[in-house]
Amino acid sequence: MATVRAAAVGAAPGAGVRATARGAGGLRRAARGLRRLLLVVFAIWLVFEAFRWWRGVEDTRQVGAVVAGTIAGDPSRATPTFALAQREGEAGRYHEALREYRRIVDRQVGGVDEPMRASALYNTGNLHLREALRLRNEEQVAQSLAILELAKRNYRDALALAPGAWDARYNLERVLRLSPELE
């Protein structure tokens, strides 16, 4: 059988063979580029996964610290009850959080000092404020006003224990604007 070569008019002899070689070289370069791209994507993914793993280790360390009763070396601020109350409040479990904060305020938990009680009262006021705003948005104004009164009382009690607590003072002023005192 005879081999037939097609060549373009005016093309040099063997031009068809060189074009095929160039096409294969271009394909190899494209494959190398694709491998490099995949390697970069894999490296980025690996860094991301390492960061997620590190965050998991850090979260586990913090949970262990809460269980042991120490966060950032300040045991007076991190009893497991206080941490549980904060977690319940952040999860939107209003009554459960109030119950845990009440245990701290009433000194039913060991190791409670005045700054921790003031923090528990402040956080209780915040819970009441959030609940009152939620009720107000649902147009339950009477209930909202009653809960705002509880928030006022908690902020005032917190300020009695820690007069320099500016965040409690600010929130009390905010509650007073929402529900002014009747004289």
Side-chain angles (χ1 to χ4, degrees):
M1 234 190 228
T3 306
V4 177
R5 277 197 179 166
V9 177
V17 175
R18 270 186 254 132
T20 306
R22 280 190 203 130
L27 190 58
R28 279 189 221 114
R29 264 181 284 170
R32 261 186 274 142
L34 183 60
R35 274 183 272 177
R36 287 181 183 151
L37 177 66
L38 288 174
L39 186 61
V40 168
V41 168
F42 177 72
I44 291 170
W45 175 81
L46 193 61
V47 167
F48 177 74
E49 287 299 314
F51 177 73
R52 283 185 44 199
W53 174 82
W54 176 79
R55 287 289 309 253
V57 168
E58 186 64 21
D59 290 347
T60 303
R61 187 192 65 75
Q62 287 179 355
V63 167
V66 168
V67 171
T70 59
I71 290 179
D74 189 4
S76 68
R77 307 282 294 166
T79 66
T81 305
F82 197 89
L84 175 63
Q86 284 182 315
R87 193 170 45 244
E88 296 288 355
E90 289 169 1
R93 294 187 285 271
Y94 174 71
H95 296 290
E96 292 83 355
L98 286 178
R99 182 180 57 242
E100 296 304 321
Y101 283 129
R102 180 58 43 203
R103 289 180 60 209
I104 294 169
V105 171
D106 294 342
R107 296 179 190 244
Q108 295 174 358
V109 178
V112 175
D113 57 0
E114 294 304 306
M116 184 182 289
R117 285 185 66 220
S119 293
L121 286 164
Y122 170 73
N123 287 353
T124 302
N126 288 345
L127 284 172
H128 288 314
L129 178 57
R130 272 188 242 124
E131 183 68 10
L133 292 175
R134 184 188 68 78
L135 290 170
R136 182 172 280 192
N137 287 339
E138 293 177 2
E139 304 203 13
Q140 298 177 15
V141 178
Q143 287 178 324
S144 173
L145 290 173
I147 292 179
L148 284 172
E149 290 302 317
L150 293 172
K152 286 180 199 176
R153 187 187 65 184
N154 288 124
Y155 290 134
R156 286 183 176 132
D157 290 347
L159 286 167
L161 292 173
W166 290 103
D167 46 358
R169 188 175 311 278
Y170 173 82
N171 284 0
L172 176 60
E173 289 177 16
R174 186 172 171 205
V175 170
L176 288 170
R177 278 191 224 121
L178 292 170
S179 171
E181 294 288 324
L182 299 175
E183 296 186 27

